[in-house]
């Protein structure tokens, strides 16, 4: 299907060098998740195609889901996406109202707006939108906005989504100080405070492999970026919390911490 009147197709080749592609490897085995919320079918197809093609060009392991309304996206439950492309003029709930709902639970996701109305641009920044696209959409501008979004996201650490009685909460690696195991639950200590979640520490350790969150004890995972000092078998975190390093995890911690320090000196 050819794009409708709201899409102006331009031929463009955006060449990316190997260094640019390598930046996006930070997602590791996890996927970058994108969501398109647009009520016009031709634009749905166009935007989905652009997202998938730009992911492929940038070497990103990702996926894109398409929704026809804000209600449809919200009804899916608690799907958290890294990138949202939202039409401002949707149906009963506008794209702006949807963005406000997204921001209630996630301050870090990238939001891009598509609109026919330039006067809506100022409102877009009230929900910390990264960019806006004015219809009729220009293919080059869409692709450039997507690549800017990928660059922005590549600078963010990975995230984990954890469940408790209140629902699902997202934590970005960079905001976590340490994770402590308490029986069948874990306690996440972050700059937001602390909270308990139903997950085993062993499962989290596997999910966090290759990140700066490292297991140092049967009951603790710590963030290398949040270390204040290391003395013998004790790590002091930024908060003043002292965490022991046991023999089982000492070599693993030493290697990870040395690599982190070397990386910081570059």
């Amino acid at each position: 299907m050819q794009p409708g009147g709201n899409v102006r197709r331009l031929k463009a080749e955006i060449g990316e060098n190997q260094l640019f592609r390598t930046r996006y490897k930070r997602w590791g085995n996890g996927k970058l998740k994108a969501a398109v919320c647009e009520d016009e079918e031709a634009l749905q197809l166009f935007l989905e195609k652009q997202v998938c093609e730009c992911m492929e060009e940038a070497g990103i392991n990702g996926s894109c889901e398409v929704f026809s309304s804000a209600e449809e996206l919200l009804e899916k439950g608690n799907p958290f996406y890294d990138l949202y492309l939202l039409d401002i003029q949707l149906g009963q709930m506008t794209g702006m109202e949807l963005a406000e709902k997204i921001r209630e639970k996630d301050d870090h996701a990238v939001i891009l707006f598509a609109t026919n109305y330039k006067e809506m641009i100022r409102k877009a920044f009230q929900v910390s939108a990264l960019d806006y696209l004015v219809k009729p959409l220009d293919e080059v501008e869409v692709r450039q906005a997507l690549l800017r979004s990928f660059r922005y996201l590549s600078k963010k650490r990975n995230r984990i989504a954890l469940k408790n009685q209140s629902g699902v909460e997202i934590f970005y690696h960079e905001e976590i100080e340490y994770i402590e195991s308490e029986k069948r639950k874990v306690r996440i200590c972050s700059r937001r405070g602390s909270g308990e979640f139903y997950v085993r520490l062993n499962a989290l350790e596997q999910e966090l492999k290759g990140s700066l969150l490292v297991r140092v004890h049967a009951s603790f995972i710590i963030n290398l970026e949040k270390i204040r000092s290391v003395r013998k078998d004790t790590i002091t975190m930024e908060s003043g919390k002292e965490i022991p390093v046991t023999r089982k995890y000492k070599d693993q911690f030493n290697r990870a911490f040395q690599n982190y320090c070397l990386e910081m000196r570059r």
Side-chain angles (χ1 to χ4, degrees), residues 112-159:
L112 301 178
F113 280 117
T115 179
N116 284 312
Y117 306 98
K118 290 186 178 181
E119 59 267 25
M120 300 295 293
I121 292 170
R122 181 175 297 178
K123 289 186 178 181
F125 293 106
Q126 293 176 3
V127 290
S128 302
L130 183 68
D131 211 339
Y132 61 89
L133 301 163
V134 178
K135 296 178 181 179
L137 298 181
D138 181 299
E139 182 175 328
V140 172
E141 291 179 358
V142 171
R143 294 169 78 86
Q144 289 175 342
L146 287 170
L147 291 170
R148 280 196 298 273
S149 300
F150 295 159
R151 289 190 188 98
Y152 176 84
L153 287 167
S154 74
K155 296 175 183 177
K156 294 284 184 183
R157 298 296 181 192
N158 287 328
R159 66 185 185 177

Side-chain angles (χ1 to χ4, degrees), residues 21-62:
R21 291 171 61 89
T22 302
R23 290 177 183 173
Y24 303 106
K25 302 301 183 183
R26 297 183 187 183
W27 278 288
N29 294 324
K31 283 190 173 183
L32 184 151
K33 296 174 64 178
V36 171
C37 195
E38 165 63 58
D39 56 3
E40 186 178 328
E41 184 179 1
L43 282 174
Q44 289 177 358
L45 295 171
F46 170 75
L47 290 171
E48 182 182 21
K49 181 175 183 289
Q50 297 308 314
V51 171
C52 293
E53 287 183 355
C54 285
M55 283 182 178
E56 184 176 355
E57 288 180 13
I60 292 173
N61 179 24

Side-chain angles (χ1 to χ4, degrees), residues 213-231:
L213 291 160
V214 177
R215 186 86 173 259
V216 297
H217 186 279
S219 300
F220 288 99
I221 290 174
I222 60 101
N223 188 337
L224 298 176
E225 289 187 309
K226 307 297 184 183
I227 292 175
R228 180 186 293 173
S229 64
V230 179
R231 290 186 176 85

Side-chain angles (χ1 to χ4, degrees), residues 1 6 8 20 36 38 46 61 78 96 100 120-121 132-133 147 150 192 198 201 214 228 235-237 249 251 262-263:
M1 178 181 295
N6 277 333
R8 183 170 64 251
F20 181 70
V36 171
E38 165 63 58
F46 170 75
N61 179 24
N78 282 305
M96 191 66 64
E100 290 171 354
M120 300 295 293
I121 292 170
Y132 61 89
L133 301 163
L147 291 170
F150 295 159
R192 287 189 246 161
Y198 302 107
L201 199 66
V214 177
R228 180 186 293 173
I235 301 168
T236 303
M237 306 303 293
Y249 298 100
D251 287 345
L262 287 172
E263 186 68 25

